[in-house]
Amino acid sequence: MAQQFSLAACDVVGFDLDHTLCRYNLPESAPLIYNSFAQFLVKEKGYDKELLSVTPEDWDFCCKGLALDLEDGNFLKLADNGTVLRASHGTKMMAPEVLAEAYGKKEWKHFLSDTGMACRSGKYYFYDNYFDLPGALLCARVVDYLTKQNSGQKTFDFWKDIVAAIQHNYKMSAFKENCGIYFPEIKRDPGRYLHSCPESVKKWLRQLKNAGKILLLITSSHSDYCRLLCEYILGNDFTDLFDIVITNALKPGFFSHLPSQRPFRTLENDEEQEALPSLDKPGWYSQGNAVHLYELLKKMTGKPEPKVVYFGDSMHSDIFPARHYSNWETVLILEELRGEEGARSQRPEESEPLEKKGKYEGPKAKPLNTSSKKWGSFFIDSVWGLENTEDSFVYTWSCKRISTYSTIAIPSIEAIAELPLDYKFTRFSSSNSKTAGYYPNPPLVLTSDETLISK
């Protein structure tokens, strides 16, 4: 495979919506998501009202890449080889000696090959995007509450209540019915929670279109919410930009399921209609699968193997499945790279999320895309050395997956919008260094510590 990647070489450019094309104001959206779940647990399931009050310091618990063991209530940060680097029970971090006794140097019991770990199970849950992260804080506080209530409770069964809270706030009819807290609030004041697409990004999308690229929007959000977001961030004529819009895509199943398991459906007034035996023309659809989509892309491009690139923020839902099942090029939107921009003289307009604090957070809350004091870097961590030996650094499992499944990783679409379409990015590959595919810069922690990393 070539060492370089260029958008000019792609026939089709696809986008996820939430946290990819549509950037959220995280200090406002995170407390809203947390509150939408916490209110449901307190009012409908009888949980303690203490869950409703969140201090600025509490948000430091949030770190992408954590696994929650649903049985014992432990949160884990994994190394690239599946060993446990740090752990907490609820929000309480485990001391090194407790960690060593509980997990040692062994692979975590649920750790599988990359393929197996891509699927969530009834035994664990991975937090890999900003919709998920407020739920990590809530679940950790639920574990604290249950442990305290039931003096050292060892096994937990709260997950069904979390699923019910998600269903209540985000079910397909929730937007139309003004159900829950999340959608009514976004409708009431979208500007508080959403960032409009900069002009540079709108111009870039038109540039791609004018260069003859087929543009796709593939989102797991439902059509009514997708329309609200796109009209706000792109304008009322947003449908002119995209040849194909797919909502309620139910990723990662969109990529992994057979056409018979997940057919495309047409929409009428945001209601799903009959299943389609195949996808015959561009338009707006619901659900579906990558196999039928690719057949249509062959027809539209007149090529037997059109080259597709897909932009997304979730390793679980976007990047891994698009690469693994469909062999598409993948561009990971990694806001942790934005979190580092403060250390690289951040531009004033990009520091806005640090200033606009949500009513649940207060002035000192940690932005979710910056490093957690409790969990350390998203990219690497130290492994305790034996007595009289230095600590050594290892890649996290999340970091390994970035370089394995992403073509490149960027902080935002805006970061590349003013580059020429034939700009040649250095891609991640086994023959390049582990930092090769980060644009415009690798994470500081990788550049300063790369010599120390063991793998």
Side-chain angles (χ1 to χ4, degrees):
M1 194 179 266
Q3 299 289 295
Q4 292 179 314
F5 163 74
S6 161
L7 285 168
C10 298
D11 305 297
V12 182
V13 186
F15 300 93
D16 170 48
L17 180 57
D18 296 282
H19 300 284
T20 298
L21 263 182
C22 177
R23 279 190 52 237
Y24 284 75
N25 182 12
L26 295 178
E28 295 284 0
S29 63
L32 175 62
I33 293 166
Y34 178 95
N35 204 39
S36 69
F37 296 153
Q39 292 274 8
F40 179 86
L41 291 187
V42 171
K43 288 179 179 170
E44 304 296 327
K45 299 293 181 181
Y47 282 77
D48 193 283
K49 282 184 180 157
E50 275 186 31
L51 288 177
L52 300 176
S53 40
V54 185
T55 67
E57 296 74 30
D58 289 334
W59 288 102
D60 182 62
F61 184 81
C62 291
C63 176
K64 267 187 2 194
L66 300 181
L68 165 58
D69 188 317
L70 296 174
E71 189 179 34
D72 61 21
N74 290 350
F75 286 80
L76 313 171
K77 181 183 183 184
L78 299 176
D80 57 357
N81 63 1
T83 54
V84 178
L85 292 166
R86 302 189 193 201
S88 72
H89 182 68
T91 64
K92 310 293 185 288
M93 300 304 293
M94 290 186 189
E97 57 277 11
V98 178
L99 181 72
E101 189 179 334
Y103 296 104
K105 302 279 184 191
K106 307 188 300 286
E107 271 187 8
W108 179 45
K109 62 186 175 186
H110 297 307
F111 189 80
L112 301 165
S113 68
D114 277 327
T115 312
M117 290 293 280
C119 305
R120 287 169 181 156
S121 87
K123 296 182 186 301
Y124 58 83
Y125 190 89
F126 273 100
Y127 291 92
D128 92 326
N129 64 68
Y130 291 117
F131 265 149
D132 279 353
L133 267 189
L137 175 59
L138 180 63
C139 287
R141 297 184 75 205
V142 165
V143 171
D144 290 349
Y145 163 67
L146 293 173
T147 305
K148 189 172 152 191
Q149 283 287 103
N150 306 313
S151 57
Q153 181 173 340
K154 292 286 189 288
T155 59
F156 296 87
D157 190 28
F158 62 85
W159 188 248
K160 63 183 186 305
D161 296 334
I162 301 293
V163 171
I166 295 168
Q167 178 66 9
H168 176 69
N169 281 278
Y170 296 104
K171 63 188 175 188
M172 196 163 183
S173 60
F175 185 92
K176 191 177 283 185
E177 295 169 0
N178 277 325
C179 195
I181 289 173
Y182 182 82
F183 288 133
E185 180 60 18
I186 297 272
K187 284 183 193 178
R188 189 187 67 77
D189 191 3
R192 179 174 174 181
Y193 301 101
L194 310 173
H195 291 299
S196 288
C197 270
E199 279 307 313
S200 62
V201 172
K202 295 178 189 174
K203 186 177 167 189
W204 178 78
L205 290 168
R206 288 192 291 270
Q207 194 184 352
L208 286 167
K209 189 102 169 142
N210 294 338
K213 310 300 178 192
I214 292 170
L215 265 57
L216 314 174
L217 184 62
I218 308 175
T219 173
S220 291
S221 288
H222 298 304
S223 53
D224 43 16
Y225 185 50
C226 170
R227 190 176 293 103
L228 178 145
L229 294 182
C230 288
E231 285 178 356
Y232 183 82
I233 66 167
L234 292 168
N236 293 342
D237 58 351
F238 75 92
T239 50
D240 297 345
L241 290 169
F242 301 103
D243 298 275
I244 301 169
V245 175
I246 300 165
T247 50
N248 194 26
L250 302 169
K251 298 175 290 181
F254 180 86
F255 296 103
S256 61
H257 281 38
L258 298 170
S260 59
Q261 296 171 292
R262 193 63 68 72
F264 279 97
R265 296 177 181 275
T266 53
L267 284 161
E268 213 168 281
N269 298 322
D270 296 314
E271 299 286 339
E272 291 182 346
Q273 306 298 305
E274 75 284 351
L276 300 173
S278 62
L279 199 59
D280 297 327
K281 59 185 182 191
W284 190 316
Y285 299 95
S286 194
Q287 297 198 38
N289 60 86
V291 174
H292 278 170
L293 172 61
Y294 198 64
E295 290 303 315
L296 175 59
L297 295 175
K298 288 179 190 176
K299 280 202 318 198
M300 290 173 72
T301 58
K303 295 184 176 182
E305 291 186 355
K307 188 169 181 180
V308 185
V309 59
Y310 188 63
F311 288 70
D313 70 296
S314 168
M315 182 57 68
H316 168 75
S317 300
D318 301 318
I319 302 303
F320 170 80
R323 170 60 57 85
H324 181 74
Y325 297 107
S326 300
N327 201 30
W328 291 358
E329 300 278 12
T330 51
V331 178
L332 175 65
I333 305 297
L334 191 62
E335 288 220 22
E336 281 65 24
L337 296 175
R338 289 181 69 86
E340 293 208 333
E341 287 178 3
R344 301 181 191 272
S345 67
Q346 194 172 16
R347 298 206 304 270
E349 69 270 21
E350 291 186 339
S351 65
E352 180 187 49
L354 301 183
E355 294 153 11
K356 286 174 90 177
K357 292 299 167 192
K359 62 184 175 184
Y360 304 109
E361 283 192 285
K364 293 181 181 170
K366 175 192 86 73
L368 291 193
N369 58 355
T370 57
S371 223
S372 156
K373 292 188 183 74
K374 284 189 169 180
W375 293 104
S377 169
F378 173 73
F379 301 98
I380 63 167
D381 213 337
S382 56
V383 175
W384 296 88
L386 299 169
E387 215 173 319
N388 302 324
T389 64
E390 297 266 320
D391 289 355
S392 59
F393 286 88
V394 296
Y395 290 109
T396 61
W397 185 67
S398 299
C399 186
K400 179 189 178 186
R401 284 167 69 79
I402 292 170
S403 58
T404 306
Y405 295 110
S406 315
T407 303
I408 59 171
I410 60 177
S412 63
I413 290 175
E414 190 183 0
I416 65 166
E418 293 181 15
L419 298 174
L421 294 185
D422 60 358
Y423 182 88
K424 290 181 171 52
F425 296 93
T426 304
R427 63 163 68 238
F428 288 113
S429 73
S430 51
S431 54
N432 280 338
S433 83
K434 285 269 184 23
T435 59
Y438 291 104
Y439 178 90
N441 298 296
L444 286 168
V445 69
L446 294 188
T447 51
S448 54
D449 288 310
E450 193 164 16
T451 53
L452 301 173
I453 295 171
S454 61
K455 293 186 181 64

